[in-house]
Amino acid sequence: MKALFLLPLASLAACTPVDQPRIGQSPAGNRPAAVATSQSSLSAAQKAAIGQKIWQNESGGSRNGLTAWNAGEAFPSLGIGHFIWYPTGTTGPYTESFPQFIAFAKQRGANPPAIASNRGCPWPTRIAFQREFNSAAMTSLRDWLASNVSLQTDFIIAKSRASLPKILKAAGSDAARVQANYNRTATSASGQYALIDYVNFKGEGINPNERYNGQGWGLLQVLQEMNGTATGKAAAVEFSQAAMRVMARRVANSGGKDQRWHAGWQNRCATYAQPL
């Protein structure tokens, strides 16, 4: 059985290497089979730069932006990656990530403020959230997030790394091409930043609720949009252009409701073509 081996992936410098699935063709068809991955080639300085870029992308690098609730949304977005936290007793179509981050932080020995351990966001509405913006509870949460940027970066990198087997499984018969495009993109630091940021930005692309007109906009869809063979910087540029097309398609499919985000989304995707 032939297997396609991954090039070095974005992973945690501080975490122990783990076995990840290897993708190959099983005798029965396109089922993934198992493989080990390599440690990341990202330096500590590169990972720090990625964290700062993500923070800049999400909230202009502002401290206040670490606890935000955007107009028109039913949930706050927290941390450098604007991790979603649904209010207590509610759910929504997007993948909730703030509780995942807090669990990750505790596993790493961190001690987040008590309010962060609530299963749901304690502020039920955007009005309530804004009213309490300078409260002791929210200030302590913001201070802790500002003091743990590297921990949030590690979480985002780990989340990106863990996404690949799920994406390949969802890709079905297109898995080999999707993996090849992922591997090509990962051959440069700017490409690894693109892969890391995009999963945090628009998800894996496998959630059936994250669709307009049956079309998704996550990392899977961007990798499927890529058709070249280049590696290095050229692959990162190709990823950037593919991401722009995928996001433009989302806006077109949204019936106008996402138009206000279009310019910002295009600007963010353009950063993937730039040196880290």
Side-chain angles (χ1 to χ4, degrees):
M1 177 174 68
K2 269 184 196 173
L4 295 169
F5 284 82
L6 301 179
L7 292 170
L9 298 178
S11 61
L12 302 177
C15 82
T16 304
V18 296
D19 288 341
Q20 292 273 31
R22 162 183 347 183
I23 299 303
Q25 296 270 320
S26 72
N30 299 317
R31 241 181 354 232
V35 77
T37 63
S38 307
Q39 276 290 77
S40 170
S41 60
L42 290 172
S43 68
Q46 287 171 328
K47 288 197 290 184
I50 287 172
Q52 290 299 317
K53 274 182 171 282
I54 293 172
W55 190 357
Q56 183 69 31
N57 288 340
E58 292 290 356
S59 58
S62 76
R63 189 183 186 92
N64 281 351
L66 295 173
T67 54
W69 190 319
N70 294 326
E73 294 183 335
F75 50 81
S77 302
L78 306 174
I80 65 166
H82 271 195
F83 311 128
I84 291 173
W85 196 16
Y86 286 114
T88 301
T90 69
T91 58
Y94 306 115
T95 301
E96 186 178 46
S97 52
F98 185 69
Q100 295 175 6
F101 165 61
I102 295 302
F104 174 88
K106 290 179 178 178
Q107 288 172 357
R108 293 285 294 272
N111 186 28
I115 196 167
S117 296
N118 283 21
R119 178 58 192 87
C121 171
W123 299 286
T125 65
R126 183 170 183 259
I127 292 174
F129 182 90
Q130 291 178 316
R131 186 171 56 240
E132 294 294 314
F133 192 82
N134 292 314
S135 66
M138 201 182 304
T139 299
S140 69
L141 179 56
R142 197 160 46 243
D143 289 346
W144 182 78
L145 290 166
S147 299
N148 287 277
V149 172
S150 63
L151 184 62
Q152 294 167 75
T153 305
D154 281 351
F155 169 70
I156 293 168
I157 292 174
K159 186 179 177 184
S160 173
R161 184 185 188 193
S163 73
L164 182 59
K166 294 181 283 184
I167 287 170
L168 292 171
K169 182 178 179 180
S173 61
D174 206 21
R177 190 175 72 87
V178 168
Q179 181 173 7
N181 288 337
Y182 186 104
N183 287 356
R184 290 193 298 111
T185 306
T187 55
S188 69
S190 56
Q192 290 197 48
Y193 153 63
L195 294 167
I196 291 163
D197 182 70
Y198 199 86
V199 170
N200 185 70
F201 175 39
K202 289 301 173 193
E204 298 157 342
I206 63 176
N207 184 343
N209 294 319
E210 295 179 351
R211 299 280 189 276
Y212 290 151
N213 295 336
Q215 293 184 304
W217 49 75
L219 181 58
L220 170 61
Q221 287 75 36
V222 175
L223 295 171
Q224 288 176 320
E225 186 74 15
M226 296 173 68
N227 293 303
T229 59
T231 59
K233 180 181 178 181
V237 171
E238 184 189 352
F239 182 97
S240 173
Q241 293 169 344
M244 288 182 179
R245 292 194 297 272
V246 167
M247 294 314 301
R249 187 170 66 212
R250 169 176 169 166
V251 171
N253 285 338
S254 74
K257 69 178 183 178
D258 287 350
Q259 184 61 47
R260 59 181 170 153
W261 306 111
H262 183 61
W265 287 348
Q266 294 294 302
N267 289 339
R268 183 167 185 161
C269 293
T271 67
Y272 303 150
Q274 300 167 5
L276 183 60

